[in-house]
Amino acid sequence: MTADVPKVVIVGAGFGGLTAAQALARAPVDVTLIDRHNFHYFQPLLYQVATAALSPADIAWPIRSIVRRQKNITVLMAEVEGVDPQARLVHAGATAVPYDFLVLATGATHSYFGHPEWAAVAPGLKQIEDATRIRRKVLLAFEEAELIDDPDEQRRLLTFVVVGGGPTGVEMAGAIAEVAHYALPSEFRRIDPHAARVILIEAGPRLLPTFPEDLSAYAAQALEKMGVEVMTSARVTDCDGRGVDLEASRIEAGTLVWAAGVIASPAGEWLQVEQDRAGRVKVGPDLAVPGRPEVFVIGDTAAAVDAEGKTVPGIAPAAKQMGAYVAKVIAARASGRPAPGPFRYRHQGDLATIGRKAAVVKLGSVHLTGFIGWLFWGVAHVYFLIGLRNRAVVAFTWLWNYLTYQRGARLIVDGPGGQEEARAEKAKPQAPAVEAGRTRSRDQAPVEGTDWR
Amino acid sequence: MTADVPKVVIVGAGFGGLTAAQALARAPVDVTLIDRHNFHYFQPLLYQVATAALSPADIAWPIRSIVRRQKNITVLMAEVEGVDPQARLVHAGATAVPYDFLVLATGATHSYFGHPEWAAVAPGLKQIEDATRIRRKVLLAFEEAELIDDPDEQRRLLTFVVVGGGPTGVEMAGAIAEVAHYALPSEFRRIDPHAARVILIEAGPRLLPTFPEDLSAYAAQALEKMGVEVMTSARVTDCDGRGVDLEASRIEAGTLVWAAGVIASPAGEWLQVEQDRAGRVKVGPDLAVPGRPEVFVIGDTAAAVDAEGKTVPGIAPAAKQMGAYVAKVIAARASGRPAPGPFRYRHQGDLATIGRKAAVVKLGSVHLTGFIGWLFWGVAHVYFLIGLRNRAVVAFTWLWNYLTYQRGARLIVDGPGGQEEARAEKAKPQAPAVEAGRTRSRDQAPVEGTDWR
């Protein structure tokens, strides 16, 4: 580090933070990029890890490796515990990192709408660890069913419930159905994986509420063709280790997956500034915190409205655009140039895959479905994967899976009743203040007040 | 299952058990293959997972998937807790599986020579979980060193000690040196990974004691050229969380890896039969337990002497040969044909890789070293990998790593101070009766009584 250039600290190396760090490559600043993991990962493909199609390393890259040629970046793997905006320090363990500009890009986590205890039994899908945990649960359900004789318990174990009909829920339900109905049947002798039930529960009247109605209808049809039971206008009232309660009925299930809501990480609490009900920090038109022009909040952690009055959604392209924008603002201010105008969000489209040969794509007025949609989705995702090696391996693995119906990454790595389950029992408490809070992410309707259980 | 053919139960789907199961494809028997994991893995490449070159899924395959076309096999994922040889039952949880023939192929685990407490601080490398745990420790050491300022503690964190100079120890030391000296240097700003020390400690007078002396000397030279400090005739007297004690000195180290000894799994205790000092079951010339002609013990769990009086070593090819042999015996007896003669072991050669462009190979009287040895080693290992997809991915990944010096699978998946560490503290107790016990594996000299610390 040199002492005479401004210090930029970026917390979080997701899409927003990493884009900001990379966009500062030529700015006269020293960048410190802090993340509690040593890797950046491609969240849109996490469900493929959860359903054993890809390995974690196929969709994740060491942060250091990504930015190794950028000499003005220091990467620190550390858990940030707080920010001191007066002293301009970021606290991470025993280390205090000083900043002149701060970018908080710490993302979001699952929201259980005031029921943190559900986290232990209905894992969400945000982190690599979530994905391997869900993979383990799904695969173990088949193994345990094969081992026992009680038909009721076998039926329960082979019932998979996905809560939330946004893109993640649709993708998970489709992928679990594929595993059960295509990948596994020839491999079991005592149970028939074809008999597995996959149920997708959505509180609103239709799947994919952020998509146009024709694509929602197509998605529901395609899922049903794959054997997924789609329940709309169905509200979860309780989850436990053996199933899920709806308003009027109960479903006994071995595996619950939560894809219904997100809540921002605690950046707002660190800063002691105004947050919306989902814990997101309300930022100004330049994505800075009001009254703190040197502190920016981007990505899923920010409640941002762009120059045209559009609410910026919690999706990867939005986070990247915000990251690139704050880098421009910081570079301008560090160089004494005038800062750019307010942030403008460009919506590029919506994508969700349903399974083998089916996806829905909305690009402006163009709606794609079926095989064409799936091809477009595949090409787009391989294109956005970082690193030549991963692109090649993912493309090859997909082609292989497509041709053979196999799934290569089917490892259960903790044994039955292992440590991972024990960890899951320690549900991370959710802030009670956000009981009704929710953010608009790709998995949530833009309508404020919709109950997404 | 059909009721009228003999029931064969195979416990363990490693090289021995899986080979036996597959070799029974056309025999008039029902096979039940039980393993506590859902996957078979290629142990010889485990060190590549531990050093972030490959992903677990690259070297592991679902057992069910491997045998899915073999209609006479039922696969159960369960932890076997005991055997009732009188009632001919295998107990696994609530399940009791009856057998007419039993094959125990449960492998071996690490031996800490009467110091089970060392397991918590010096993990060995037998399971996939061991490999991801070591990977995490090695990568975290660099991350933590980058985060702190104390030069003594940085030096300690960047010191890696591998105990045991057999093939696994040689491979681990070489691979850690490669990570430190080639893959990482451009990525850190505050520490210099070049300064990392990798120390290989061997109690005997030379590395690779089962190899000819010229290959041992070559290996030591090649490792030293890569920056590994090789200490022979050095005995470990204590291990703790901060380093290792030798007879006359102490090495402060952040990471210890144990590659010094193995001990058989408890099949002998289940059967209540004679074991050698390393817990291996003494078997007859047909690999059956004396007095129990329907119970066979194979692989690292067996203390076998072949028809020519050769002690069968604890290596993968030997386990496979034993598996194929017992399948023949069982098939013959199930069909009422005469059983084959006693087991004969064919030694195919010895292989150990040292790092980029260097390996030692002994094939009969042919000794290969250097790049030619490395090429031979690579081709042989890709060839033995199961499954076309994995072969292609591994070959591609190796080529990529070779050309770019990168390691793609560098994921730390539990965060600093995570659950995995906590798990490590609960050292699995070793049976005290085996205090001085050791088996001859590829990581151990054939000389009985050599102290391998």
Side-chain angles (χ1 to χ4, degrees):
Chain A
M1 293 215 193
T2 43
D4 50 347
V5 301
K7 291 177 176 58
V8 180
V9 173
I10 301 173
V11 183
F15 288 115
L18 186 61
T19 304
Q22 292 183 304
L24 286 168
R26 280 170 202 168
V29 293
D30 266 335
V31 179
T32 302
L33 179 56
I34 308 177
D35 198 287
R36 65 200 161 106
H37 289 116
N38 74 328
F39 53 85
H40 165 83
Y41 61 102
F42 194 77
Q43 222 186 51
L45 289 179
L46 213 48
Y47 83 96
Q48 298 235 352
V49 174
T51 53
L54 295 175
S55 278
D58 294 337
I59 64 158
W61 309 265
I63 299 162
R64 297 186 181 287
S65 178
I66 299 172
V67 300
R68 70 183 180 282
R69 293 209 181 83
Q70 196 174 327
K71 294 301 174 201
N72 69 343
I73 295 193
T74 301
V75 176
L76 296 181
M77 177 182 168
E79 178 105 40
V80 169
E81 284 131 23
V83 170
D84 182 341
Q86 257 72 40
R88 298 193 177 177
L89 288 175
V90 172
H91 292 288
T95 311
V97 188
Y99 66 81
D100 298 305
F101 295 100
L102 176 64
V103 179
L104 296 174
T106 47
T109 184
H110 321 289
S111 167
Y112 289 88
F113 307 120
H115 292 278
E117 71 279 10
W118 294 357
V121 293
L125 189 63
K126 279 280 172 200
Q127 306 283 335
I128 292 274
E129 284 90 343
D130 297 334
T132 52
R133 186 177 158 213
I134 291 174
R135 178 177 76 183
R136 194 170 161 270
K137 277 201 93 151
V138 169
L139 296 175
L140 267 181
F142 290 95
E143 296 294 340
E144 285 171 10
E146 177 85 347
L147 208 56
I148 61 172
D149 293 316
D150 176 357
D152 287 341
E153 182 64 6
Q154 282 179 329
R155 231 183 331 265
R156 189 185 75 83
L157 284 167
L158 296 185
T159 301
F160 302 85
V161 171
V162 178
V163 183
T168 300
V170 165
E171 285 162 354
M172 275 302 297
I176 295 174
E178 276 193 351
V179 168
H181 301 154
Y182 294 97
L184 298 184
S186 64
E187 302 187 7
F188 287 80
R189 301 290 181 261
R190 309 175 77 239
I191 57 166
D192 178 7
H194 279 120
R197 288 178 73 193
V198 183
I199 304 167
L200 178 59
I201 298 179
E202 162 57 39
R206 62 180 174 103
L207 298 182
L208 301 177
T210 61
F211 283 65
E213 292 205 15
D214 60 323
L215 295 183
S216 292
Y218 172 81
Q221 251 180 5
L223 283 172
E224 279 166 357
K225 227 165 110 183
M226 294 173 65
V228 175
E229 300 169 42
V230 177
M231 300 174 70
T232 48
S233 305
R235 194 165 298 215
V236 170
T237 56
D238 198 14
C239 296
D240 57 58
R242 300 190 53 85
V244 62
D245 285 317
L246 306 179
E247 277 167 333
S249 63
R250 173 167 173 89
I251 303 169
E252 295 284 313
T255 304
L256 307 181
V257 177
W258 191 260
V262 291
I263 176 128
S265 53
E269 286 166 40
W270 295 343
L271 298 170
Q272 299 284 319
V273 294
E274 198 186 348
Q275 302 151 43
D276 69 3
R277 287 195 305 164
R280 298 181 305 171
V281 175
K282 293 190 180 171
V283 291
D286 63 349
L287 308 182
V289 176
R292 294 252 171 238
E294 76 284 6
V295 179
F296 301 87
V297 181
I298 63 174
D300 290 359
T301 320
V305 177
D306 92 335
E308 289 154 26
K310 288 196 300 264
T311 298
V312 183
I315 60 178
K320 285 187 183 179
Q321 291 177 28
M322 291 164 112
Y325 173 82
V326 297
K328 257 188 225 160
V329 173
I330 292 171
R333 281 165 53 185
S335 325
R337 284 184 280 113
F343 175 66
R344 279 169 197 280
Y345 170 65
R346 279 166 295 113
H347 190 67
Q348 292 160 331
D350 292 294
L351 290 169
T353 180
I354 297 156
R356 195 177 164 76
K357 291 198 283 190
V360 290
V361 176
K362 177 178 183 296
L363 291 169
S365 62
V366 178
H367 297 185
L368 305 176
T369 58
F371 188 65
I372 298 294
W374 184 77
L375 267 189
F376 181 88
W377 173 89
V379 170
H381 280 71
V382 167
Y383 178 78
F384 283 115
L385 283 173
I386 289 171
L388 263 181
R389 179 195 166 268
N390 292 80
R391 269 185 219 173
V393 168
V394 168
F396 177 75
T397 302
W398 281 349
L399 185 64
W400 187 261
N401 291 350
Y402 180 76
L403 294 174
T404 64
Y405 288 91
Q406 290 301 308
R407 303 213 155 213
R410 270 167 42 205
L411 310 188
I412 301 176
V413 277
D414 248 322
Q419 295 296 325
E420 285 203 66
E421 287 309 285
R423 183 174 357 164
E425 302 309 314
K426 297 186 228 147
K428 287 176 199 143
Q430 305 276 325
V434 298
E435 198 157 308
R438 58 201 63 96
T439 69
R440 183 192 164 199
S441 82
R442 70 195 278 269
D443 287 304
Q444 257 179 310
V447 188
E448 281 270 301
T450 305
D451 190 326
W452 266 76
R453 282 171 281 179
Chain B
M1 294 214 194
T2 44
D4 49 350
V5 300
K7 291 177 176 59
V8 180
V9 173
I10 301 173
V11 184
F15 288 115
L18 186 61
T19 304
Q22 291 183 305
L24 287 168
R26 280 169 202 168
V29 294
D30 266 336
V31 179
T32 302
L33 179 56
I34 308 179
D35 197 286
R36 64 200 162 107
H37 288 117
N38 74 328
F39 53 85
H40 166 82
Y41 60 103
F42 194 77
Q43 223 184 50
L45 289 179
L46 214 48
Y47 83 96
Q48 297 236 351
V49 174
T51 53
L54 295 175
S55 279
D58 294 336
I59 64 159
W61 309 264
I63 299 162
R64 298 188 180 286
S65 179
I66 299 172
V67 300
R68 69 184 182 281
R69 294 208 180 82
Q70 196 174 326
K71 294 300 175 202
N72 69 342
I73 295 193
T74 300
V75 177
L76 296 181
M77 177 183 166
E79 178 105 39
V80 169
E81 284 131 23
V83 170
D84 182 342
Q86 257 72 41
R88 299 194 178 176
L89 287 175
V90 171
H91 292 287
T95 312
V97 188
Y99 66 81
D100 298 303
F101 296 100
L102 175 64
V103 180
L104 296 175
T106 46
T109 184
H110 320 290
S111 166
Y112 289 88
F113 306 122
H115 291 279
E117 71 280 10
W118 295 356
V121 293
L125 189 63
K126 280 279 172 203
Q127 305 284 335
I128 292 274
E129 286 90 343
D130 297 333
T132 51
R133 186 177 158 213
I134 290 174
R135 177 176 76 182
R136 193 171 163 272
K137 278 200 93 153
V138 170
L139 297 175
L140 266 182
F142 290 96
E143 296 293 340
E144 284 170 11
E146 176 86 347
L147 208 56
I148 61 171
D149 293 313
D150 176 357
D152 287 342
E153 182 64 6
Q154 282 178 330
R155 233 184 327 267
R156 188 185 76 82
L157 284 168
L158 296 185
T159 301
F160 302 85
V161 171
V162 178
V163 183
T168 301
V170 165
E171 285 161 354
M172 276 302 296
I176 295 174
E178 276 192 351
V179 168
H181 301 156
Y182 294 98
L184 298 183
S186 65
E187 302 187 5
F188 287 80
R189 301 290 181 261
R190 306 177 77 241
I191 57 165
D192 179 8
H194 280 120
R197 289 177 71 193
V198 182
I199 303 167
L200 178 60
I201 298 178
E202 163 56 37
R206 62 180 173 104
L207 299 181
L208 302 176
T210 60
F211 284 64
E213 291 206 16
D214 61 322
L215 295 183
S216 292
Y218 172 82
Q221 250 181 5
L223 283 172
E224 279 167 356
K225 226 165 110 184
M226 294 172 66
V228 174
E229 300 169 41
V230 176
M231 300 175 69
T232 48
S233 304
R235 195 166 296 217
V236 170
T237 56
D238 199 15
C239 297
D240 57 59
R242 300 190 53 84
V244 63
D245 286 316
L246 305 179
E247 276 166 335
S249 62
R250 173 168 174 87
I251 303 168
E252 295 282 315
T255 305
L256 306 181
V257 177
W258 192 260
V262 292
I263 178 130
S265 54
E269 287 166 41
W270 295 344
L271 297 170
Q272 299 284 321
V273 294
E274 198 188 347
Q275 303 153 41
D276 69 3
R277 287 196 304 163
R280 297 181 307 172
V281 175
K282 293 191 180 172
V283 292
D286 64 348
L287 308 182
V289 176
R292 295 249 170 242
E294 76 284 6
V295 179
F296 301 86
V297 181
I298 63 174
D300 292 358
T301 320
V305 176
D306 91 335
E308 289 154 25
K310 287 197 300 265
T311 299
V312 184
I315 60 178
K320 285 185 182 180
Q321 291 177 29
M322 292 163 111
Y325 173 82
V326 298
K328 259 188 223 158
V329 174
I330 291 170
R333 283 164 55 184
S335 322
R337 285 185 279 113
F343 175 65
R344 280 170 196 279
Y345 169 65
R346 280 166 296 111
H347 190 67
Q348 292 161 330
D350 292 295
L351 289 169
T353 180
I354 298 157
R356 193 178 166 76
K357 291 198 282 189
V360 290
V361 176
K362 177 179 182 298
L363 290 170
S365 62
V366 178
H367 297 184
L368 305 176
T369 58
F371 188 65
I372 298 294
W374 184 77
L375 268 187
F376 181 89
W377 173 89
V379 170
H381 280 73
V382 167
Y383 177 78
F384 284 115
L385 284 173
I386 290 171
L388 262 181
R389 178 194 167 270
N390 292 79
R391 270 187 219 171
V393 168
V394 168
F396 177 75
T397 302
W398 280 349
L399 184 65
W400 187 261
N401 291 351
Y402 180 77
L403 294 174
T404 63
Y405 288 90
Q406 290 302 307
R407 304 212 154 213
R410 272 166 42 206
L411 310 188
I412 302 174
V413 277
D414 247 324
Q419 295 295 324
E420 285 204 65
E421 287 309 283
R423 182 176 355 163
E425 301 310 314
K426 295 186 229 142
K428 286 175 202 147
Q430 305 275 324
V434 298
E435 200 156 307
R438 57 200 64 96
T439 69
R440 182 191 165 199
S441 81
R442 69 196 279 267
D443 287 306
Q444 255 178 314
V447 188
E448 281 268 300
T450 305
D451 190 324
W452 266 75
R453 281 170 281 177

